[in-house]
Amino acid sequence: MKKYIFAIACLLSSLTGFAQDALTIESASIKAGETGTLNVILTNTEKSYINCQFDFTLPTGLDVQRTSAGKVSKKTCTLTDRTINEEDEWEFNFTLAEPSTGLFRITMYNDGNLPFMGKSGDAIMKLTVTAASDFAGGEGKVSAIVVTDTDRNSIKMSDAAFT
């Protein structure tokens, strides 16, 4: 009987591991010399989040849109329906910075502390990227992910890779 109880406890424990909240960038297919879109996905299974901050690096040969002065451009980022509510006339604010060469940081927040809208697992933002003419693919990384829930608790999420 103890074996069965232990087996059931292990099974339940492993199932809860699959339902973990996460912020990721969805892998995409972008060819050399082309412009493409990367979806920033927020999965929230039990909690609602009112803001987030994360860093990301892109594979070599992939870059975000820049201004004529070479700075990163906010035009690289497009908010989705999860961050805009036209009826209530609010949207998330965001910043895009490059704290060091090749490392990008996005901060998203809502002045009214309202949560991200819509379905968990859908994109909260889309990033436009351009591949160099010799781009051969590779792996990027999302790191230093911190979200704040509606109770104003800061939660660190696990890093994630994308290709």
Side-chain angles (χ1 to χ4, degrees):
M1 182 68 166
K2 288 182 183 178
K3 289 181 186 178
Y4 293 116
I5 292 173
F6 178 73
I8 291 171
C10 289
L11 179 62
L12 289 175
S13 174
S14 67
L15 290 175
T16 58
F18 290 113
Q20 202 168 27
D21 290 2
L23 187 137
T24 58
I25 293 179
E26 192 173 57
S27 294
S29 178
I30 302 169
K31 295 179 181 173
E34 292 186 352
T35 297
T37 302
L38 299 175
N39 294 320
V40 178
I41 306 293
L42 176 63
T43 302
N44 48 306
T45 55
E46 296 179 18
K47 297 181 186 252
S48 293
Y49 297 113
I50 60 175
N51 72 37
C52 70
Q53 177 178 302
F54 61 95
D55 293 348
F56 67 96
T57 55
L58 295 170
T60 302
L62 205 58
D63 200 5
V64 298
Q65 184 176 357
R66 295 181 180 272
T67 65
S68 58
K71 302 282 186 187
V72 295
S73 171
K74 280 182 72 171
K75 292 179 181 178
T76 296
C77 305
T78 306
L79 298 177
T80 68
D81 289 344
R82 290 200 67 191
T83 54
I84 301 171
N85 181 336
E86 292 176 10
E87 292 174 10
D88 295 335
E89 298 180 357
W90 64 265
E91 68 182 24
F92 274 72
N93 300 301
F94 67 93
T95 61
L96 170 63
E98 188 174 18
S100 62
T101 303
L103 175 71
F104 304 96
R105 176 169 294 146
I106 291 180
T107 304
M108 299 179 72
Y109 61 94
N110 174 272
D111 291 331
N113 288 326
L114 297 169
F116 289 98
M117 300 287 293
K119 183 180 169 197
S120 173
D122 286 346
I124 57 174
M125 173 181 278
K126 296 178 181 284
L127 302 169
T128 302
V129 294
T130 303
S133 59
D134 60 348
F135 178 63
E139 185 173 276
K141 186 175 180 182
V142 184
S143 61
I145 306 163
V146 179
V147 294
T148 304
D149 66 18
T150 52
D151 294 327
R152 294 185 178 60
N153 298 309
S154 291
I155 301 157
K156 181 166 177 20
M157 294 184 169
S158 298
D159 295 352
F162 63 94
T163 56

